[in-house]
Amino acid sequence: MHKEIVDSKFLESMSGKRPFLKRMFTVFISQEPKRIQEIKDALQSQDVERLRHLAHSLKGGAATIGVDRVRECCLNLEKASKAKDMKAALTHLDSLEKEMRNAYAFMFDYLAEH
């Protein structure tokens, strides 16, 4: 089964808190591109500790707003950095960037519709 971009159960649980959810999405869209750039920089400079930390903190942020596929990519990136496997980390970064684009698109649509 393919996971949803944003977990529908999470969205349902937030249906009465739409302004709050919109604010969370807005913050995610405005903050996270910077963190993705920091992840890329850490990967390029082979800073595994920083990479692990960044992946871990993005994982937490993603979990909070129900973007499970992003959370999974972060978990994989975190594991790769712990194992100091930069080749795997690069692959996971590609997946992460793709899932982040999906998440942004979903959030932009949501914000436009509500």
Side-chain angles (χ1 to χ4, degrees):
M1 190 192 100
H2 199 59
K3 276 204 168 107
E4 302 159 294
I5 296 172
V6 177
D7 182 55
S8 54
K9 284 189 185 71
F10 169 76
L11 288 175
E12 270 168 42
S13 76
M14 294 300 285
S15 62
K17 306 180 189 116
R18 202 165 277 158
F20 179 63
L21 183 61
K22 287 171 75 171
R23 203 161 54 245
M24 282 171 40
F25 280 177
T26 304
V27 167
F28 190 85
I29 290 165
S30 62
Q31 304 283 318
E32 297 311 335
K34 187 171 159 284
R35 185 149 35 192
I36 293 292
Q37 189 53 56
E38 288 173 354
I39 287 173
K40 281 180 172 169
D41 294 344
L43 193 57
Q44 213 162 14
S45 63
Q46 309 265 307
D47 187 343
V48 287
E49 206 36 57
R50 182 160 164 69
L51 181 62
R52 191 189 62 70
H53 172 73
L54 288 163
H56 182 77
S57 52
L58 177 53
K59 183 181 75 180
T64 308
I65 56 168
V67 279
D68 281 342
R69 280 152 49 175
V70 169
R71 187 192 58 76
E72 238 165 56
C73 292
C74 291
L75 181 62
N76 292 335
L77 194 53
E78 204 181 348
K79 284 179 185 165
S81 59
K82 273 184 189 161
K84 297 184 173 44
D85 185 345
M86 288 298 145
K87 198 168 174 222
L90 265 173
T91 306
H92 296 312
L93 175 63
D94 284 346
S95 305
L96 176 60
E97 286 194 285
K98 191 179 120 234
E99 291 306 341
M100 287 297 276
R101 282 193 296 274
N102 291 337
Y104 296 146
F106 180 97
M107 291 174 193
F108 277 124
D109 288 349
Y110 184 92
L111 291 169
E113 285 164 22
H114 295 87

